[in-house]
Amino acid sequence: MSASEAVQSAEGPKGLARLGTNTLSWLQAAPLTLVLALFLIFPIVTIVIVSFWDYSEYALIPDLILDNYTYLLSSPVTWSIFLSTLGYAAASWILTLLIGFTVAYFLAFHVRTLTWQIVLFMVCTIPFWTSNVIRMISWIPVLGRNGLVNQGLMGVGIIDHPLEFLLFSDFAVILAFVHLYTLFMVVPIFNSMMRIDRSLLEAAADQGASAWQTLWSVIVPLCRPGIVIGSIFVVTLVMGDFITVRLMSGGQGASVGVMMNNEISLLQYPAAAADAVVLLAVVLLMVFGMLKAVDIRREL
């Protein structure tokens, strides 16, 4: 037997073993790949295709036109709606970040025992066991013209007449968003804080750093992955939400989700699909920007 034949015969079982390992890996990944293809990729591709169709009052016309995108990008109304949606997302992100970071900081650094951390975390979680719609509706008797807030303020003499902006306004929409999505900010930030080595805080204190200096120079930089993950959750949820805007604004607020829902109710599916594609592109750009700011894989 020649030397080359000997090498080939020796590598034969190894090659078969590698082939078997690769086949097994593909088989293990196949179910998840199939699920993603059926429930994520296929619907997105379908929406993109439909966004180029034409339509009339009573029918969809398969075609390849840019009219839906031309109208969307040239209409001042749609631009104002997108800006309104971005405003909701920015305000909700800032408030949920402040509240979520504060709650996570308290749970991670001021609650000393694991038992109490679990108990308090469950207290934060229990309201999320109910429907979002029920939690939104619960604000109506609180913020309404004759609600608890207005009655209480008038009872102590702070105001003479009910405050109209508390309900069915942008204030109510943002308040509902903060109420609904703050937990999505608390969880990842709390997880990042629990990973921080407490000896780093002791070292900062030994170097004479104040509590604020330790917070900004040690804790916040080490919590960046959690902040980014929570921000992605909150921003994507707010950008695609339409139920909250419709209910809490009393039909007076505008968002891309509400616009798409109105177009769908009028059977204008291609126009709604074009809105969805542009909204998806905007959200992906925002997520890409946040991921570029922090390398989550490296810092986790």
Side-chain angles (χ1 to χ4, degrees):
M1 178 183 297
S2 64
S4 61
E5 292 176 347
V7 171
Q8 291 178 358
S9 62
E11 291 184 350
K14 294 181 181 179
L16 292 175
R18 285 195 297 268
L19 180 61
T21 302
N22 293 335
T23 303
L24 181 61
S25 300
W26 280 105
L27 290 176
Q28 291 174 338
L32 179 59
T33 304
L34 182 62
V35 170
L36 291 176
L38 289 177
F39 297 103
L40 179 63
I41 298 176
F42 177 73
I44 292 177
V45 172
T46 303
I47 292 172
V48 172
I49 293 173
V50 173
S51 68
F52 292 100
W53 286 9
D54 197 0
Y55 62 94
S56 63
E57 292 80 0
Y58 51 85
L60 297 179
I61 305 171
D63 204 343
L64 186 61
I65 60 174
L66 297 176
D67 292 358
N68 298 317
Y69 290 98
T70 302
Y71 175 78
L72 173 63
L73 299 177
S74 62
S75 173
V77 176
T78 56
W79 278 101
S80 64
I81 291 175
F82 269 88
L83 290 176
S84 175
T85 306
L86 291 173
Y88 287 144
S92 302
W93 171 72
I94 292 172
L95 293 174
T96 54
L97 177 59
L98 293 175
I99 298 173
F101 190 92
T102 304
V103 173
Y105 182 85
F106 175 78
L107 291 176
F109 296 107
H110 290 278
V111 180
R112 299 299 181 183
T113 63
L114 178 62
T115 302
W116 276 106
Q117 284 181 341
I118 295 175
V119 170
L120 294 176
F121 198 81
M122 289 297 295
V123 170
C124 297
T125 307
I126 287 175
F128 286 80
W129 296 354
T130 60
S131 169
N132 285 2
V133 177
I134 293 176
R135 282 186 287 152
M136 281 187 287
I137 293 176
S138 66
W139 282 107
I140 295 178
V142 177
L143 301 177
R145 183 178 179 84
N146 297 316
L148 297 178
V149 175
N150 278 320
Q151 292 296 322
L153 292 177
M154 288 190 295
V156 298
I158 297 178
I159 58 176
D160 298 327
H161 56 276
L163 299 176
E164 301 290 345
F165 73 89
L166 293 180
L167 188 62
F168 301 141
S169 62
D170 290 341
F171 171 82
V173 173
I174 295 173
L175 179 64
F177 278 141
V178 173
H179 177 209
L180 294 176
Y181 301 135
T182 296
L183 187 64
F184 292 95
M185 191 70 78
V186 173
V187 174
I189 295 177
F190 175 75
N191 183 57
S192 295
M193 287 183 176
M194 293 303 294
R195 294 170 178 265
I196 296 176
D197 189 351
R198 297 307 190 263
S199 62
L200 296 176
L201 307 182
E202 297 176 0
D206 293 339
Q207 293 296 319
S210 64
W212 281 105
Q213 289 174 329
T214 302
L215 176 66
W216 288 110
S217 302
V218 179
I219 296 177
V220 171
L222 294 176
C223 290
R224 286 186 301 174
I227 293 173
V228 170
I229 294 172
S231 300
I232 291 173
F233 282 141
V234 172
V235 170
T236 54
L237 288 170
V238 172
M239 291 292 288
D241 192 292
F242 73 94
I243 293 292
T244 305
V245 178
R246 169 162 289 182
L247 288 180
M248 298 307 294
S249 70
Q252 303 176 57
S255 71
V256 181
V258 173
M259 180 172 63
M260 287 190 293
N261 183 68
N262 292 338
E263 290 170 340
I264 291 173
S265 64
L266 296 174
L267 304 181
Q268 298 175 355
Y269 295 109
D275 294 340
V277 172
V278 174
L279 177 63
L280 177 61
V282 172
V283 173
L284 289 178
L285 286 175
M286 297 171 66
V287 172
F288 179 76
M290 287 185 279
L291 292 178
K292 290 292 290 184
V294 177
D295 189 351
I296 295 180
R297 289 187 178 182
R298 183 177 62 84
E299 298 200 24
L300 284 180

